[in-house]
Amino acid sequence: MKSVGIFVDISNLFYNINKKYPGKKLDYFKYRLAAVGDEALYRAVGYGYFVDFEARKFVSALKHVGYETKYRKHRTIVKDDKIEYLNSSWNLAMSLDIIRVLPKLDKVVLGTSDPEICPFVEYLKEKGVECFVISSNIPKGLRNSATQCIEITEDLLHATTQ
């Protein structure tokens, strides 16, 4: 039985899903089930950002459905007396986490549509590890690099309650 590691960039998934399915959010339990199938889950990790700890309930919910969580505060700058959030990426930290457990994995599932992860995806494949991308709005370069890419469909989402 294959050992699977799931590594998801929460912000990237949120942004890309919201772009394709406005008002909908990913159901991370369904996502985990779809990513693992009948294989063995080794680890599931969600990487995200918070502003003033507003993500506490969400982080708790992620943990409840089997994800480890790694959150850090958004980098900010003040411009014209307004706070602006800088774009930053979890790609390096996520890649290092995967490398640390790589000998225990047969398959890596990445929840991101960031094309900057392509060289790392190619590295994983060179090491004999299958690399699946399950995300939304997956760019062509990432599609060409991964073992397989799966676009998130509405059956993995739930409506927001706002």
Side-chain angles (χ1 to χ4, degrees):
M1 181 176 289
K2 290 184 179 179
S3 178
V4 181
I6 303 170
F7 303 87
V8 295
D9 181 334
I10 304 291
S11 298
N12 185 280
L13 284 177
F14 177 82
Y15 173 78
N16 282 295
I17 288 169
N18 198 45
K19 199 159 76 169
K20 189 171 183 178
Y21 302 105
K24 302 265 181 149
K25 291 185 180 179
L26 183 62
D27 183 321
Y28 283 88
F29 181 71
K30 290 179 184 177
Y31 182 94
R32 193 191 78 188
L33 292 177
V36 175
D38 60 358
E39 299 167 331
L41 177 64
Y42 176 74
R43 178 173 286 162
V45 185
Y47 302 84
Y49 296 95
F50 63 87
V51 179
D52 298 327
F53 301 102
E54 87 292 349
R56 280 189 215 181
K57 287 174 84 174
F58 178 71
V59 169
S60 179
L62 275 179
K63 289 178 181 178
H64 182 73
V65 296
Y67 288 81
E68 297 172 36
T69 58
K70 295 193 177 193
Y71 267 72
R72 60 184 176 208
K73 194 169 183 171
H74 259 296
R75 294 184 316 164
T76 60
I77 60 169
V78 176
K79 186 175 180 181
D80 298 325
D81 294 327
K82 293 181 183 178
I83 295 176
E84 291 188 16
Y85 299 101
L86 299 176
N87 286 336
S88 57
S89 169
W90 273 101
N91 289 347
L92 179 59
M94 188 165 51
S95 299
L96 289 172
D97 286 351
I98 293 168
I99 288 170
R100 287 183 185 106
V101 297
L102 197 56
K104 298 176 181 177
L105 299 175
D106 301 300
K107 177 179 168 182
V108 169
V109 175
L110 295 175
T112 184
S113 292
D114 188 340
E116 291 184 8
I117 199 92
C118 289
F120 182 67
V121 169
E122 292 166 6
Y123 168 81
L124 292 173
K125 287 176 41 184
E126 287 171 11
K127 295 297 180 186
V129 176
E130 294 179 328
C131 186
F132 285 62
V133 174
I134 304 177
S135 190
S136 188
N137 299 313
I138 304 167
K140 185 178 180 181
L142 191 50
R143 288 183 180 280
N144 292 338
S145 296
T147 305
Q148 184 176 355
C149 289
I150 300 167
E151 280 285 329
I152 290 173
T153 54
E154 287 194 72
D155 60 320
L156 294 180
L157 307 177
H158 55 80
T160 58
T161 54
Q162 294 184 18

